[in-house]
Amino acid sequence: MKREEILEKSRKENKNKDMYEIEIENKAVKIAAIVMIILATIYYCYEIFSGKGENYSYYSIIAVYCAILFGYKAIKLTRRKKLHIFCSVIWSIVTIITIIKYFI
């Protein structure tokens, strides 16, 4: 196979995106998620320490992110699948509890 044929097949498989572009998108999503978790944690801690009470909505955002992350990994990955399923279930339970606590 020629180099151009290999590149063409790779682009078809990746929907006309370069591997570099895909990696950049993945890294951007990871950075955004980490910043979201940090910011939600800061808001949550601020409300507790300032005496305003607990706002479970911030913690539910963190919990649902983790539940989706581990759930998706459990579906897509073959190694450590049991760990990802376990973590996804635990985070899903935490999500449900925090949502219920927020509305009550």
Side-chain angles (χ1 to χ4, degrees):
M1 281 180 137
K2 293 182 181 178
R3 182 172 183 234
E4 293 302 321
E5 291 174 0
I6 295 171
L7 285 172
E8 185 63 34
K9 285 184 180 183
S10 175
R11 286 188 183 118
K12 284 180 184 177
E13 289 175 3
N14 296 316
K15 299 177 184 173
N16 275 339
K17 292 184 178 180
D18 288 333
M19 289 305 291
Y20 179 72
E21 187 177 342
I22 292 170
E23 288 299 318
I24 293 296
E25 287 177 12
N26 288 340
K27 190 167 185 172
V29 167
K30 289 176 186 176
I31 291 170
I34 290 169
V35 171
M36 178 196 70
I37 289 172
I38 291 170
L39 191 59
T41 303
I42 290 170
Y43 290 156
Y44 183 75
C45 292
Y46 171 74
E47 288 189 352
I48 290 172
F49 296 126
S50 68
K52 295 181 180 180
E54 296 181 46
N55 187 345
Y56 287 97
S57 63
Y58 296 125
Y59 199 71
S60 69
I61 292 169
I62 296 169
V64 77
Y65 169 78
C66 292
I68 291 170
L69 177 76
F70 284 109
Y72 189 75
K73 283 184 176 183
I75 291 169
K76 293 293 183 179
L77 297 178
T78 56
R79 64 186 170 95
R80 297 188 311 201
K81 191 171 188 118
K82 289 181 183 178
L83 175 67
H84 293 309
I85 291 171
F86 176 75
C87 290
S88 178
V89 168
I90 295 298
W91 279 111
S92 296
I93 291 169
V94 171
T95 301
I96 292 167
I97 290 170
T98 54
I99 290 171
I100 290 170
K101 296 265 292 173
Y102 175 74
F103 285 109
I104 292 176

